[in-house]
Amino acid sequence: MVGIDIVDITRLARSIERFGNHFLDRLFTVQEIEYAQAKRRMAESLAGRFAAKEAFIKAYGAKPGWREIEVLQHDGRPYIMFKGKTYPNVSISHERLYAVAVV
């Protein structure tokens, strides 16, 4: 199965500003947050990861908890860890206003 999702980066950035750590901790793992915080554009990085999580849910066919799906990087390539299994077929792209992901 294939899943795709697009996220408005500005909308996600506003949610981070408004709800702070509560918002981040509800959707992302510690490792995902630390990775994004090391980037120049934190909201862009998190928007891409959120899009990947949504795309994974669409491809997987069920809705697990947000933090059960972890979007990580290895050698510059994203992959998903879910229930101890690695899903390497992940593509994330950013453009000024939007982040998109395909799983």
Side-chain angles (χ1 to χ4, degrees):
M1 299 296 287
V2 175
I4 186 169
D5 195 65
I6 187 167
V7 173
D8 182 328
I9 296 169
T10 305
R11 185 174 176 199
L12 188 120
R14 278 192 228 124
S15 293
I16 293 169
E17 287 175 23
R18 185 171 180 198
F19 301 109
N21 287 337
H22 177 71
F23 176 79
L24 293 174
D25 293 339
R26 201 183 81 197
L27 298 175
F28 302 101
T29 66
V30 170
Q31 199 166 352
E32 289 170 323
I33 294 167
E34 287 175 354
Y35 176 83
Q37 287 174 333
K39 296 292 184 180
R40 243 179 59 205
R41 296 183 188 105
M42 181 178 126
E44 182 178 285
S45 178
L46 290 173
R49 277 157 172 63
F50 185 77
K53 290 178 184 230
E54 282 278 6
F56 179 81
I57 289 168
K58 291 171 183 174
Y60 189 71
K63 187 165 182 179
W66 293 113
R67 292 170 48 99
E68 289 181 79
I69 306 163
E70 189 170 34
V71 183
L72 302 169
Q73 296 269 131
H74 180 68
D75 291 334
R77 302 171 99 182
Y79 67 95
I80 289 176
M81 285 295 296
F82 177 66
K83 294 188 176 185
K85 186 173 178 189
T86 301
Y87 295 85
N89 297 323
V90 179
S91 181
I92 300 172
S93 186
H94 311 94
E95 197 277 321
R96 272 186 297 169
L97 300 176
Y98 299 100
V100 65
V102 177
V103 174

